[in-house]
Amino acid sequence: MEPSRHTGRSEAALAIAVGSVALLMLGLQPLLLGALLEAGHVTLEGVGLVAMGEIVALGAGVLIGDLRLSVARLRPIATLAAVLAAVFDLATTQLHGDLAIGLVRAAAGVSEGLLVWSTTAVIVRSARPERLAGLFFVIQTLAQAASGLLLAHLVIPAAGWRGGFQMLAVLALGAAALTAAGARPLGPLTPTASQAGVGLRWTRPRLGALLVVFLQLATLGAFWAYAEPLGLRAGFSPVAVQTLIAAGLGMQVLGGSVGTWMVQRLPVPPTLLGCCLVLGLCAFAVARTAQNGPWVFAGLCAVFTFTWLFMLPFQMGLAFRVDGSGQVAALVPAAQLFGSAFGPLVASLMVSGDEVAPVPLVASGFAGLAALALVLTQRRRAQASGAPT
């Protein structure tokens, strides 16, 4: 079969389904790792390391695919990655201890990252990649929410925490079957490159675009990783703050839907700059209004989570703005994942005991750096093109 340089609707639907399965664990980590903790298979200290290790490994898997693998062999690579993800999910049910579970979840993360790479490869070759990326972000969030409800109310009560990982394995095998049956080899984005990063001249705007994505996701990760203790600090009960976090998924879906619709109607850099300011101000307001009651916190979280998914299609738009070939856009998921892991890591270094007051300030700092990187990137790009700044 001849490689295709462009993708159709059926290929896009298949890619979104496979990518959504690959990213399920990101949304289910609190539930499944919490169940592992309750069962005594990991320690409290190990939960964070296992979670961060899988996210970093997922980003590494995307990067490996972008820089080292050929999209002409997308079908066998993605099929094998899905099978391996299922194997590692099942292996998790047989292990005990932070190190063993951390290593097998990291291995699963690499396999999941390769599936995300296959999805991104299809998205950047579509006629409207920004809108398709927005649709992917919305569908993956809905898939995580639906799977979380299924696990919490049916699977784990009936089969325990092992049933959760067994469900992930079944879904991964389903993704393998879909890929084996329907995936097609893809052609290079440009005549001189077979994968992202090859034949691409790295300029400050291109590096800057990925830095903006990284810092924006670090903002999100730093704040949302501590949403529960921040909510308790604001005056919510444990049950109420968990309900608030679940409601945040609904706001993300709404934001992603609006962003997908607006991405070709709003200017990309000013919109992303506005998102940086909104995220930074929301986080800063949480730090400054901790004693103003839970409803202020709830309102700020609603704006924060809406902005979260709203801005992601514009990140893809920024990548295409600095590199029309789509090679930089193919690296956006890796930058997003690494940022998602880096933000909570830095925030954790600022936490002392149970005191989480510095966390919103860390998130505000990341948002400010993202805004600065965006301004400098666009100024450099304007100077290079001779346009006024």
Side-chain angles (χ1 to χ4, degrees):
M1 184 182 296
E2 285 296 320
S4 171
R5 289 187 62 185
H6 302 285
T7 57
R9 290 185 178 181
S10 60
E11 291 171 290
L14 172 63
I16 287 175
V18 170
S20 297
V21 170
L23 291 173
L24 278 180
M25 186 58 186
L26 288 187
L28 300 178
Q29 274 187 342
L31 187 60
L32 289 177
L33 295 184
L36 276 172
L37 178 63
E38 289 181 11
H41 283 252
V42 292
T43 66
L44 182 60
E45 297 80 6
V47 166
L49 294 175
V50 170
M52 188 180 71
E54 185 162 359
I55 294 172
V56 171
L58 217 160
V62 176
L63 206 58
I64 290 168
D66 284 333
L67 300 179
R68 296 297 179 190
L69 300 179
S70 171
V71 291
R73 303 186 67 248
L74 185 141
R75 177 189 289 175
I77 292 170
T79 302
L80 178 60
V83 171
L84 288 175
V87 170
F88 293 130
D89 287 334
L90 292 175
T92 304
T93 66
Q94 306 301 314
L95 298 176
H96 187 283
D98 295 347
L99 180 60
I101 291 178
L103 288 175
V104 79
R105 292 319 306 166
V110 173
S111 300
E112 292 158 356
L114 290 174
L115 293 177
V116 175
W117 161 73
S118 71
T119 298
T120 307
V122 172
I123 288 174
V124 298
R125 287 166 174 79
S126 66
R128 296 181 176 179
E130 300 95 332
R131 295 190 67 177
L132 188 58
L135 182 62
F136 172 48
F137 297 137
V138 170
I139 290 176
Q140 76 174 54
T141 304
L142 288 171
Q144 290 170 358
S147 299
L149 289 173
L150 184 63
L151 282 176
H153 294 284
L154 292 176
V155 176
I156 292 180
W161 66 268
R162 288 185 174 86
F165 286 101
Q166 289 164 357
M167 186 187 87
L168 288 179
V170 170
L171 291 172
L173 289 176
L178 285 175
T179 304
R184 291 199 303 163
L186 299 175
L189 286 165
T190 68
T192 59
S194 58
Q195 61 268 341
V198 177
L200 179 67
R201 186 169 65 90
W202 285 105
T203 63
R204 286 188 183 181
R206 289 168 177 171
L207 289 170
L210 293 176
L211 179 61
V212 169
V213 172
F214 174 86
L215 291 170
Q216 285 186 326
L217 269 292
T219 303
L220 300 173
F223 184 88
W224 205 241
Y226 290 89
E228 185 168 350
L230 286 170
L232 296 174
R233 179 172 174 264
F236 277 103
S237 67
V239 174
V241 78
Q242 289 170 5
T243 303
L244 177 67
I245 291 171
L249 286 173
M251 291 303 296
Q252 287 181 43
V253 170
L254 179 61
S257 300
V258 174
T260 301
W261 179 59
M262 296 296 292
V263 69
Q264 292 182 330
R265 294 172 171 84
L266 295 176
V268 170
T271 301
L272 282 176
L273 182 60
C275 290
C276 291
L277 296 176
V278 169
L279 293 175
L281 289 173
C282 284
F284 186 75
V286 167
R288 298 292 294 176
T289 61
Q291 309 306 319
N292 286 8
W295 294 112
V296 173
F297 179 80
L300 292 169
C301 282
V303 175
F304 189 92
T305 50
F306 177 91
T307 307
W308 183 333
L309 246 65
F310 173 84
M311 72 182 183
L312 298 191
F314 290 90
Q315 291 180 345
M316 192 67 75
L318 180 67
F320 274 99
R321 180 180 169 87
V322 299
D323 169 40
S325 74
Q327 291 178 277
V328 172
L331 296 171
V332 164
Q336 291 172 334
L337 289 162
F338 287 132
S340 297
F342 185 72
L345 174 63
V346 174
S348 70
L349 299 176
M350 303 299 164
V351 173
S352 177
D354 295 330
E355 183 50 64
V356 294
V359 168
L361 298 177
V362 172
S364 293
F366 278 129
L369 289 174
L372 179 62
L374 182 60
V375 169
L376 294 177
T377 295
Q378 293 307 302
R379 178 175 296 175
R380 179 73 180 183
R381 184 175 183 272
Q383 290 173 344
S385 63
T389 58

